[in-house]
Amino acid sequence: MAEPIPNLSNSVKLKYVKLGYQYLVNNFLTFLIVPIMAGLIIQVLKLGPEEIQSIWNSLQFDILQILCSSFLIIFIGTVYFMSKPRSIYLVDFSCYKAPVTCRVPFSTFMEHSRLILKDNPKSVEFQMRILERSGLGEETCLPPAIHYIPPTPTMETARNEAEVVIFSAIDDLMKKTGLKPKDIDILIVNCSLFSPTPSLSAMVVNKYKLRSNIKSYNLSGMGCSAGLISIDLARDLLQVLPNSCALVVSTEIITPNYYQGSERAMLLPNCLFRMGGAAILLSNKRKDSRRAKYRLMHVVRTHKGADDKAFKCVFQQEDPQGKVGINLSKDLMVIAGEALKSNITTIGPLVLPASEQLLFLFTLIGRKIFNPKWKAYIPDFKQAFEHFCIHAGGRAVIDELQKNLQLSAEHVEASRMTLHKFGNTSSSSLWYEMSYIEAKGRMRKGDRIWQIAFGSGFKCNSAVWKCNRTIKTPTDGPWDDCIDRYPVFIPEIVKL
């Protein structure tokens, strides 16, 4: 009996075919130029001394032409370097670490929910189901005012939380970098839901007695992606202000935003959001290029606010009883997916190697011309980045991005572990994730990092960083006392 013909698709290692294609396309210029240069060198070596001398003598050098050419080269070089954007460096950053007294284990959270919502057991049951599937751990923290029964969300307690979180992060950053208050030229503070008067940025100016000519900005109402908006604003300011430093503070103040009603869509944030904050030092000074950890490569911002559904998918409002909370729409993940698609369409050409861009282009042309039902090609962003920091907005967000971007468990490890240890700390979650990668000793010189964040409005923002030097495993920071325990296994459902 004749042996069956082997299945070619199984016998051929398609993975290696793709690797060969990527290597060929990404090094196309090298493969083109090297043979040409080798041929020229061989031809020159074949020439005798007399022929070389004859060619040299035939060249007519005019001193005026040399001077004009030199001047033109110098002029073009000067214009190029003057118009080239300034390099923006991330010198260092710090994340707030809440005290043990602020922790809310599942048992504590559910006990408080039963007491606060004693007249609505269905809402308590709903919160329990959300918490079981949330991906959060037992060590997430809420501010002191939320630990009271009932909670005491006053203006004073909210300011107290803001001062503790923001000042702790800034103090730690100053200790790390040797930064002095008089060295700060630009201050940007972003906090979406708590916007007092005077502003949080004015609070920082007052605390540290910053210079009277400081350029300070306070961003509010911009959601969990506001941290990258702050980075983008700092970048633009540093482009026009030479020899300057920018202090960026990203946080979300939980105290005044704990919902005490019974609407399910508005109870969801109570289960996910936790206290946290980060302080980041950016600089365009050349002297900081050596000590800086990262260099900012790109910031890409996508805004879907023109669409009504996108605009209202994360909406602060009053419930029928007049209690204020954040309403999360059931269409949130679909809208986030559309925003992500727009964002990666813009960022792809900036970061992807030529091999991936060609495959994407061929697929796009094929769908437009030949068959619209062709499966869309999803670029392999693992070719462009070594590390991914996906906003720890919730388990569903991380799952969706892992699936859509075809990432491995290790690529989303920092996001999952940050959600488990700290919960959704809003705009600062990306920095807890960066800190996790550093604490694991995985950050090497030349590594590229992609930060992706989503926020109300609806927005999807991205920032791309390049590691400036190999980062030594830190002995401090938010992960210093627990990094050896991570990564941990996170079950699909934690039975409470």
Side-chain angles (χ1 to χ4, degrees), residues 22-35 354 358:
Q22 291 169 348
Y23 186 78
L24 178 64
V25 173
N26 295 339
N27 297 279
F28 177 75
L29 287 177
T30 303
F31 291 134
L32 182 67
I33 293 172
V34 168
L358 279 175

Side-chain angles (χ1 to χ4, degrees), residues 66-81:
I66 294 174
L67 288 174
C68 290
S69 300
S70 301
F71 174 77
L72 183 62
I73 292 170
I74 293 171
F75 176 76
I76 292 172
T78 302
V79 171
Y80 171 75
F81 285 108

Side-chain angles (χ1 to χ4, degrees), residues 86-93 173 176-180 183-185 238 241-247 280-296 465-469 471:
R86 290 189 175 92
S87 294
I88 308 301
Y89 298 101
L90 192 162
V91 180
D92 212 333
F93 65 94
L173 181 65
K176 279 184 179 179
T177 60
L179 179 71
K180 297 177 181 177
D183 298 329
I184 301 172
D185 304 287
L238 288 170
L241 298 172
N243 204 38
S244 299
C245 284
L247 174 62
I280 305 100
L281 177 61
L282 301 175
S283 173
N284 61 12
K285 299 179 181 179
R286 286 192 176 182
K287 68 177 184 178
D288 287 329
S289 61
R290 290 185 179 179
R291 69 168 181 150
K293 284 185 173 181
Y294 306 96
R295 183 159 64 93
L296 182 61
W465 304 87
K466 189 170 184 179
C467 189
N468 210 36
R469 56 182 172 84
I471 308 298

Side-chain angles (χ1 to χ4, degrees), residues 291-365:
R291 69 168 181 150
K293 284 185 173 181
Y294 306 96
R295 183 159 64 93
L296 182 61
M297 308 302 293
H298 307 286
V299 178
V300 174
R301 293 168 55 183
T302 302
H303 206 306
K304 291 288 184 178
D307 179 77
D308 290 342
K309 282 188 177 180
F311 175 70
K312 288 195 172 183
C313 71
V314 181
F315 206 78
Q316 187 178 24
Q317 63 184 57
E318 293 174 330
D319 68 8
Q321 287 73 43
K323 295 178 180 179
V324 178
I326 303 295
N327 190 321
L328 300 183
S329 167
K330 61 182 180 180
D331 299 323
L332 177 59
M333 292 312 303
V334 175
I335 292 165
E338 290 298 319
L340 175 66
K341 190 186 298 183
S342 299
N343 193 269
I344 63 176
T345 301
T346 305
I347 202 171
L350 299 175
V351 299
L352 286 169
S355 58
E356 290 300 308
Q357 294 195 45
L358 279 175
L359 285 174
F360 180 77
L361 179 63
F362 291 154
T363 307
L364 185 65
I365 293 173

Side-chain angles (χ1 to χ4, degrees), residues 13-289:
K13 300 289 186 181
L14 294 179
K15 178 179 74 173
Y16 298 111
V17 173
K18 186 175 181 181
L19 287 173
Y21 160 76
Q22 291 169 348
Y23 186 78
L24 178 64
V25 173
N26 295 339
N27 297 279
F28 177 75
L29 287 177
T30 303
F31 291 134
L32 182 67
I33 293 172
V34 168
I36 295 174
M37 294 299 296
L40 288 173
I41 292 171
I42 291 170
Q43 290 298 320
V44 170
L45 292 175
K46 287 181 179 179
L47 297 174
E50 294 180 357
E51 292 174 308
I52 295 174
Q53 184 66 39
S54 175
I55 293 172
W56 177 261
N57 292 334
S58 66
L59 296 174
Q60 299 294 322
F61 292 102
D62 188 326
I63 188 68
L64 183 61
Q65 290 179 346
I66 294 174
L67 288 174
C68 290
S69 300
S70 301
F71 174 77
L72 183 62
I73 292 170
I74 293 171
F75 176 76
I76 292 172
T78 302
V79 171
Y80 171 75
F81 285 108
M82 289 291 287
S83 60
K84 188 179 178 183
R86 290 189 175 92
S87 294
I88 308 301
Y89 298 101
L90 192 162
V91 180
D92 212 333
F93 65 94
S94 292
C95 299
Y96 171 72
K97 184 178 178 181
V100 177
T101 53
C102 289
R103 287 181 181 174
V104 279
F106 294 155
S107 57
T108 303
F109 184 89
M110 291 312 305
E111 181 185 356
H112 286 204
S113 294
R114 291 187 187 98
L115 292 171
I116 295 169
L117 299 170
K118 58 185 177 181
D119 297 328
N120 200 328
K122 288 188 177 180
S123 294
V124 175
E125 184 181 346
F126 171 75
Q127 284 191 304
M128 184 172 70
R129 291 201 306 271
I130 294 297
L131 204 60
E132 287 176 338
R133 296 164 173 78
S134 65
L136 272 67
E138 298 275 7
E139 298 181 1
T140 61
C141 296
L142 284 172
I146 308 301
H147 287 258
Y148 288 97
I149 301 173
T152 57
T154 64
M155 180 63 76
E156 182 182 2
T157 55
R159 280 191 178 276
N160 288 340
E161 181 194 348
E163 290 174 357
V164 168
V165 172
I166 293 174
F167 296 163
S168 297
I170 294 176
D171 288 344
D172 188 44
L173 181 65
M174 287 182 167
K175 183 180 177 182
K176 279 184 179 179
T177 60
L179 179 71
K180 297 177 181 177
K182 65 181 180 63
D183 298 329
I184 301 172
D185 304 287
I186 301 163
L187 171 66
I188 303 171
V189 179
N190 69 264
C191 179
S192 186
L193 294 173
F194 181 56
S195 184
T197 300
S199 65
L200 295 177
S201 60
M203 182 183 78
V204 175
V205 172
N206 177 259
K207 165 69 176 179
Y208 294 96
K209 310 305 178 189
L210 302 183
R211 303 197 320 254
S212 60
N213 64 342
I214 190 168
K215 290 175 170 50
S216 66
Y217 301 85
N218 197 93
L219 306 182
S220 64
M222 305 195 79
C224 300
S225 66
L228 297 186
I229 297 175
S230 296
I231 295 295
D232 188 35
L233 175 58
R235 179 191 63 172
D236 291 344
L237 291 168
L238 288 170
Q239 288 299 329
V240 297
L241 298 172
N243 204 38
S244 299
C245 284
L247 174 62
V248 175
V249 178
S250 292
T251 189
E252 190 59 75
I253 304 306
I254 306 297
T255 297
N257 303 298
Y258 188 84
Y259 177 64
Q260 299 182 59
S262 57
E263 292 293 314
R264 290 190 174 188
M266 300 168 76
L267 281 169
L268 191 57
N270 287 358
C271 302
L272 299 176
F273 283 88
R274 297 294 185 265
M275 66 187 302
I280 305 100
L281 177 61
L282 301 175
S283 173
N284 61 12
K285 299 179 181 179
R286 286 192 176 182
K287 68 177 184 178
D288 287 329
S289 61

